[in-house]
Amino acid sequence: GQQVMQIPQYQHVQEGEDFTTYCNSSTTLSNIQWYKQRPGGHPVFLIQLVKSGEVKKQKRLTFQFGEAKKNSSLHITATQTTDVGTYFCARPPFFGNEKLTFGTGTRLTIIP
Amino acid sequence: DVKVTQSSRYLVKRTGEKVFLECVQDMDHENMFWYRQDPGLGLRLIYFSYDVKMKEKGDIPEGYSVSREKKERFSLILESASTNQTSMYLCASSLPGAGNEQYFGPGTRLTVT
């Protein structure tokens, strides 16, 4: 299946700095999901975005879905050590079956 | 709370061995998935199943097969393990419907020597 491009692959930030990861698709998406995987852990669902231009917040995390529904971003304000991990976006199939296609992920490390 | 369990956290096998990875979910989910995760490559889908005895190939099915005899259990089989199958294997389940959130198990780190 067509991969979702996710950038950057790695991001190192000082604790307290902001962090953003981006997902881009060449085709319109019906929705997009975000997952977080802590070091040594498994991916955990964070949120799903469905509507064009949608913005959702979870405490210091802000998720956006582009107007054209081809891109999405996750922004973390004032990072904390608990934010360490890899963040994945995932898109549903363009047609047919039930599977998700995951982006390659952005690995966030925090410098205390 | 959804719970997805995998039979082993760590497994070491020899080249050529037949390997079984088991996954069980307790939420009566129709869909179950097997992924492998490698550094820099993200999560890649091996196989998925949307019902008992039903299966579909994912993006990288070569060298693997699956079995789903009961709704709660989805097994991944490496017929003849090779060193390039050393990886983290993650199982997931979800309700039916394209794009429903997936619940992941803790993963099995398989090393083939």
Side-chain angles (χ1 to χ4, degrees):
Chain A
Q2 189 175 10
Q3 274 281 45
V4 179
M5 296 301 299
Q6 193 172 349
I7 55 170
Q9 190 173 358
Y10 301 96
Q11 186 79 59
H12 313 283
V13 300
Q14 291 275 356
E15 188 174 7
E17 290 183 342
D18 292 357
F19 158 78
T20 306
T21 174
Y22 301 89
C23 269
N24 297 297
S25 171
S26 57
T27 52
T28 303
L29 304 172
S30 59
N31 66 70
I32 194 158
Q33 299 180 16
W34 286 92
Y35 291 76
K36 176 184 178 181
Q37 183 176 22
R38 293 182 186 274
H42 57 274
V44 175
F45 174 81
L46 293 175
I47 210 160
Q48 182 180 76
L49 305 172
V50 180
K51 298 177 184 176
S52 168
E54 188 170 16
V55 178
K56 287 188 176 179
K57 292 193 175 186
Q58 292 178 352
K59 297 182 180 178
R60 293 178 294 102
L61 277 62
T62 302
F63 303 85
Q64 294 192 27
F65 202 9
E67 293 290 340
K69 299 180 74 172
K70 290 184 177 182
N71 53 68
S72 180
S73 65
L74 158 58
H75 180 82
I76 303 178
T77 304
T79 54
Q80 300 175 0
T81 54
T82 53
D83 296 323
V84 164
T86 302
Y87 294 85
F88 294 96
C89 60
R91 66 152 180 85
F94 296 119
F95 56 88
N97 59 42
E98 308 273 312
K99 66 177 188 176
L100 289 175
T101 297
F102 283 81
T104 49
T106 296
R107 185 174 175 183
L108 172 64
T109 55
I110 308 284
I111 305 163
Chain B
D1 251 8
V2 178
K3 194 167 183 183
V4 181
T5 57
Q6 295 183 228
S7 49
S8 307
R9 288 301 306 270
Y10 301 93
L11 206 54
V12 179
K13 295 291 181 180
R14 293 188 183 276
T15 302
E17 278 193 85
K18 190 168 186 176
V19 182
F20 293 87
L21 302 182
E22 304 285 340
C23 175
V24 177
Q25 50 94 5
D26 66 357
M27 281 302 290
D28 204 35
H29 283 169
E30 281 77 4
N31 295 343
M32 296 189 75
F33 307 84
W34 274 107
Y35 296 89
R36 65 176 283 177
Q37 185 173 25
D38 302 287
L41 297 177
L43 292 160
R44 293 182 293 167
L45 182 65
I46 304 170
Y47 268 97
F48 69 100
S49 168
Y50 50 90
D51 203 350
V52 175
K53 296 191 187 295
M54 305 302 287
K55 61 185 179 184
E56 281 198 29
K57 293 180 180 179
D59 300 317
I60 50 165
E62 296 79 19
Y64 304 94
S65 62
V66 290
S67 172
R68 190 152 180 217
E69 297 296 318
K70 293 186 178 181
K71 191 175 185 180
E72 67 270 19
R73 188 180 298 269
F74 192 34
S75 302
L76 180 69
I77 302 153
L78 287 65
E79 295 290 341
S80 177
S82 62
T83 54
N84 62 13
Q85 292 179 310
T86 292
S87 186
M88 171 67 81
Y89 290 88
L90 288 158
C91 174
S93 72
S94 77
L95 290 168
N100 272 317
E101 67 176 276
Q102 294 187 8
Y103 297 85
F104 284 82
T108 296
R109 182 162 295 281
L110 172 67
T111 302
V112 183
T113 61

